[in-house]
Amino acid sequence: MEIERPAMAGTLESSDCQVTVEPGDGRIDFTLESAVINQYGNQIRKVVFETLSHLGVDNIKISMVDKGALDCTIKARVEAAVSRSMDQFVNALWGGAFE
Amino acid sequence: MINAVGREIPEEILKITGKEPFKGNHYFDGYEYKKDGPSTRCVINSEGSKLVENIHEVLVKCGIQDGMTLGFHHHFRDGDYVVNMVMEEIHNMGIKDITICASSLGKAHDKLVEFIEDGTITNIQSSGVRGKIGRAISEGKLKGLAVMRSHGGRVRAIETGEVRIDIAFIGSPTCDDYGNCRGIGGKSDCGVLSYSMVDADYADKVVAITDCLVPFPNFPAHISMTKVDYVVVVDEIGNPDKIATGAAKPTTDMRKLMMADYCTQFVVNTPYFKDGFSYQTGVGGASIASTISLSKIMKERNIRMKFGVGGLTKPMCDLLENNQVDALLDTQDFDLNAVESVINPRHFRISAGEYADPFNKGAVVNKLDFVILAALEVDVNFNCNVVVGSDGIITGAQGGHPDTAAGAKCTIVIAPLLQGRIPAICTDVTTVTTPGESIDVVITDYGIAVNPRRQDLIDAMKNVDLPFKTIEELRDIAYSIVGEPERVQFDDKVVGIIEGRDGTVMDVVRKIKKFEFSGE
């Protein structure tokens, strides 16, 4: 699945995260700023990569500003941002790519 | 060496500081020592005034030089101007290598970071530090070791001579030209001067700084002229809006109210809740709410409190107003109601030594039945952390936490199970400030854990309808929601120590390290 244009999902409220995606240069380029990076940085990265893998995305620049979001929130925000980058506004790609 | 709370204290730190590792709350019980004393310059002439023109002149008169230790108090809280005012002048004079020994430092003192960076300040001893100083210390910018000590521990350190204060600066809301200081009246009313009383007793030079000079005698003095060398009048010693705020509105947060209710139910079901009990609480929303709900039950059951201790706020002063308590013992005032209550004849000012010092002949904390506290983190051994944030940066203060926890018969810590994604109940706290042996009960929004050391309290709760859990169960609930946190990665360099109230080393604080993803 290809990222077509920059898109965003999420907020900077406590316990949420804001995800920005844009077309990549042939790989997954992930940057993270997080209030809980010391404790959960690796876990957040794992969830982001797993979610992208489910969506079939491997060419993306994705950056996240995290305010202590739980894994389920992170997953939802990544899915929403990727959906929006493909103009998929109504039936977002919850849970993975189109069959 | 591993100390009594299981923390590895590097031999090198014990060697540099000459300290012992923490060996348990009562290790020094019965210990005898000779108190240190200040050098005193006698005033026998009748010239009648100790007024000095300005801060610069008074520093010269006190013989300021490189390497000195200066004492400050924090009764002006986030509204303090005194520390910055003095340090700026010292910086302008080119003095280096100063040790600041303050009862606490906060956001009002962000400016000191410049002086830490240029070597004006090389050591900091404080209850804790908030704001930018905390970050600077955690980043390794302070040349010496930061020492975090409790309010009682500070008095101990000064009385034993472990710390010798060369010059103490006492911001005083009112003062006369002969140095009689009072915490009340004037523009920067803070109520009491409890934390600076030990400075007045033990510093070689004592300087009162005021913005409200009153005619002699400013009696009854909170700090006597017999201990004060000089008086300086300045325009402003603090920002009244930040010294004492209006009383906090009682919380409407259902989660906090639920924890407050658990706390009150626990308190009233202990054997200590009877006519003549004693009580101290903090300023958190849940603590304040539990004081309010407790007062209702006291009225219903016709139970009076013998004395309340603080750190005082409106709900505690209301108990006095409503004749539900015999006396308030006051070390600090957090809101305007508490400041105004100081004139009540049953509202007594006490010194930090009377309050919490473990090295005198007995302090008030030893007579407490209940203390209600908060914590950033509590681990499965009931050890509490109130100084270092979960991100590894120094961000809080010990205050009277370890002192009251050690003294009270029933020490209750209220903490929401989760702060955002950070679990408050964890396997290991980032840094130990108060040992688990002092903590009897932990109350969270997901349940209550009683320390297994307190079988008597567990027995007392046999038929009480509260959601009791083990501390491990609480941790497991937290981890099941947010995931198990990884340990914060620190540099090897030790930047500070958490001193036990008896002067032993409770824990060390290390320099923070930039996070890196594993396996990249």
Side-chain angles (χ1 to χ4, degrees):
Chain A
M1 205 162 280
E2 284 299 319
I3 303 298
E4 290 168 17
R5 64 183 62 79
M8 241 173 146
T11 71
L12 298 175
E13 297 297 316
S14 180
S15 299
D16 197 355
C17 63
Q18 192 166 70
V19 176
T20 310
V21 299
E22 55 185 295
D25 45 18
R27 61 191 184 99
I28 297 174
D29 181 359
F30 174 57
T31 54
L32 174 65
E33 190 185 305
S34 171
V36 296
I37 198 163
N38 291 292
Q39 293 90 344
Y40 294 102
N42 287 310
Q43 174 64 16
I44 293 168
R45 183 171 181 273
K46 186 168 154 251
V47 171
V48 169
F49 275 68
E50 278 173 7
T51 307
L52 291 174
S53 154
H54 273 119
L55 293 166
V57 174
D58 56 9
N59 182 15
I60 186 174
K61 266 190 192 152
I62 176 165
S63 64
M64 177 186 289
V65 181
D66 167 57
K67 301 288 179 185
L70 299 184
D71 290 352
C72 50
T73 310
I74 294 168
K75 188 162 172 276
R77 294 308 188 193
V78 171
E79 288 170 349
V82 169
S83 303
R84 287 171 188 175
S85 82
M86 299 184 248
D87 289 350
Q88 181 78 31
F89 305 125
V90 274
N91 296 311
L93 305 168
W94 306 129
F98 295 115
E99 295 302 324
Chain B
M1 185 185 276
I2 306 279
N3 70 7
V5 285
R7 291 294 158 140
E8 168 72 42
I9 310 299
E11 293 295 337
E12 195 200 334
I13 294 299
L14 297 175
K15 216 160 103 188
I16 298 171
T17 58
K19 288 179 172 298
E20 292 188 74
F22 177 66
K23 294 188 175 170
N25 272 346
H26 295 147
Y27 178 59
F28 279 96
D29 193 30
Y31 169 72
E32 291 189 22
Y33 73 105
K34 189 114 183 148
K35 285 189 183 175
D36 201 44
S39 89
T40 302
R41 184 171 169 275
C42 310
V43 176
I44 306 172
N45 69 64
S46 314
E47 281 168 20
S49 171
K50 296 179 187 173
L51 284 174
V52 175
E53 190 67 19
N54 53 40
I55 301 283
H56 178 83
E57 289 304 315
V58 90
L59 286 168
V60 172
K61 277 185 180 286
C62 290
I64 183 77
Q65 51 179 285
D66 291 356
M68 275 190 162
T69 298
L70 310 181
F72 295 97
H73 72 71
H74 75 288
H75 286 287
F76 302 142
R77 304 170 63 219
D78 282 344
D80 179 63
Y81 291 163
V82 172
V83 176
N84 292 358
M85 187 190 302
V86 171
M87 289 315 300
E88 215 149 319
E89 186 55 41
I90 285 174
H91 175 255
N92 292 342
M93 291 168 81
I95 307 289
K96 296 283 178 198
D97 204 13
I98 292 295
T99 295
I100 291 196
C101 176
S103 53
S104 203
L105 294 169
K107 287 183 186 126
H109 310 116
D110 282 353
K111 177 146 186 70
L112 297 191
V113 171
E114 292 170 35
F115 306 149
I116 291 170
E117 286 170 347
D118 74 7
T120 306
I121 299 167
T122 48
N123 283 282
I124 289 180
Q125 304 173 354
S126 175
S127 161
V129 286
R130 295 174 214 269
K132 290 185 182 163
I133 304 177
R135 176 166 282 275
I137 293 171
S138 285
E139 285 171 348
K141 288 182 177 165
L142 188 70
K143 197 170 154 208
L145 274 181
V147 179
M148 305 294 155
R149 49 170 69 106
S150 70
H151 290 330
R154 179 174 189 265
V155 179
R156 174 207 57 78
I158 296 169
E159 283 180 344
T160 57
E162 183 184 324
V163 179
R164 301 226 57 196
I165 296 179
D166 295 297
I167 314 172
F169 297 90
I170 301 177
S172 185
T174 59
C175 188
D176 63 33
D177 65 350
Y178 224 50
N180 290 298
C181 300
R182 273 157 67 81
I184 50 179
K187 302 182 268 188
S188 306
D189 202 333
C190 62
V192 296
L193 293 171
S194 305
Y195 298 123
S196 53
M197 289 166 93
V198 67
D199 300 60
D201 285 336
Y202 289 90
D204 286 346
K205 298 283 184 211
V206 176
V207 178
I209 301 180
T210 190
D211 55 10
C212 183
L213 189 71
V214 296
F216 183 91
N218 188 25
F219 269 29
H222 297 180
I223 285 172
S224 164
M225 60 190 172
T226 59
K227 297 165 185 174
V228 176
D229 290 272
Y230 302 110
V231 178
V232 182
V233 182
V234 298
D235 292 339
E236 287 176 309
I237 52 177
N239 175 352
D241 293 339
K242 292 187 179 171
I243 294 171
T245 49
K249 280 206 185 98
T251 183
T252 53
D253 177 341
M254 286 314 296
R255 189 173 66 148
K256 285 183 186 158
L257 288 172
M258 180 174 69
M259 291 193 287
D261 184 53
Y262 289 167
C263 180
T264 302
Q265 286 309 316
F266 191 95
V267 165
V268 302
N269 281 293
T270 62
Y272 310 116
F273 185 67
K274 53 177 194 263
D275 203 40
F277 76 106
S278 59
Y279 179 85
Q280 175 169 356
T281 182
V283 292
S287 315
I288 286 179
S290 76
T291 306
I292 295 169
S293 60
L294 191 65
S295 73
K296 284 186 195 134
I297 296 185
M298 287 164 62
K299 217 177 263 172
E300 281 163 23
R301 301 196 190 171
N302 208 16
I303 287 177
R304 277 175 70 82
M305 192 185 287
K306 190 76 190 168
F307 66 93
V309 187
L312 295 178
T313 53
K314 181 173 186 293
M316 290 296 284
C317 298
D318 285 347
L319 292 176
L320 192 61
E321 279 299 301
N322 300 333
N323 198 26
Q324 289 186 281
V325 61
D326 289 349
L328 292 181
L329 309 182
D330 183 1
T331 59
Q332 190 176 10
D333 297 313
F334 288 111
D335 59 31
L336 285 169
N337 299 73
V339 170
E340 283 159 12
S341 169
V342 173
I343 52 169
N344 188 315
R346 289 186 294 136
H347 181 139
F348 297 97
R349 294 168 284 107
I350 58 172
S351 69
E354 283 175 290
Y355 169 46
D357 174 18
F359 272 34
N360 62 21
K361 294 175 184 176
V364 163
V365 293
N366 301 350
K367 301 292 274 182
L368 270 174
D369 289 324
F370 298 101
V371 64
I372 319 291
L373 299 167
L376 297 169
E377 298 173 325
V378 184
D379 69 22
V380 290
N381 298 308
F382 289 82
N383 297 317
C384 289
N385 167 29
V386 296
V387 171
V388 180
S390 299
D391 55 1
I393 294 174
I394 302 171
T395 186
Q398 295 204 37
H401 200 284
D403 302 308
T404 53
K409 292 189 183 74
C410 180
T411 299
I412 300 174
V413 169
I414 303 182
L417 191 69
L418 303 170
Q419 293 277 17
R421 194 173 182 168
I422 301 296
I425 313 297
C426 54
T427 305
D428 267 309
V429 287
T430 310
T431 310
V432 179
T433 45
T434 302
E437 67 175 289
S438 300
I439 307 298
D440 301 314
V441 188
V442 177
I443 293 179
T444 74
D445 39 350
Y446 287 77
I448 300 168
V450 181
N451 193 329
R453 288 183 183 88
R454 294 301 303 269
Q455 191 56 47
D456 57 326
L457 287 175
I458 295 172
D459 293 343
M461 296 298 145
K462 274 255 155 67
N463 299 311
V464 176
D465 183 24
L466 283 170
F468 289 105
K469 299 212 160 52
T470 66
I471 191 90
E472 289 84 2
E473 283 170 340
L474 289 176
R475 174 204 54 192
D476 293 344
I477 294 171
Y479 286 7
S480 72
I481 297 171
V482 295
E484 185 173 344
E486 288 183 38
R487 282 194 73 83
V488 180
Q489 298 300 308
F490 288 100
D491 193 284
D492 282 341
K493 185 184 164 174
V494 173
V495 295
I497 62 169
I498 305 290
E499 195 180 83
R501 59 195 298 253
D502 60 7
T504 56
V505 183
M506 187 67 69
D507 208 342
V508 296
V509 182
R510 293 174 197 273
K511 190 179 161 188
I512 50 165
K513 198 158 99 175
K514 197 172 161 6
F515 175 82
E516 277 173 22
F517 289 115
S518 60
E520 254 192 81

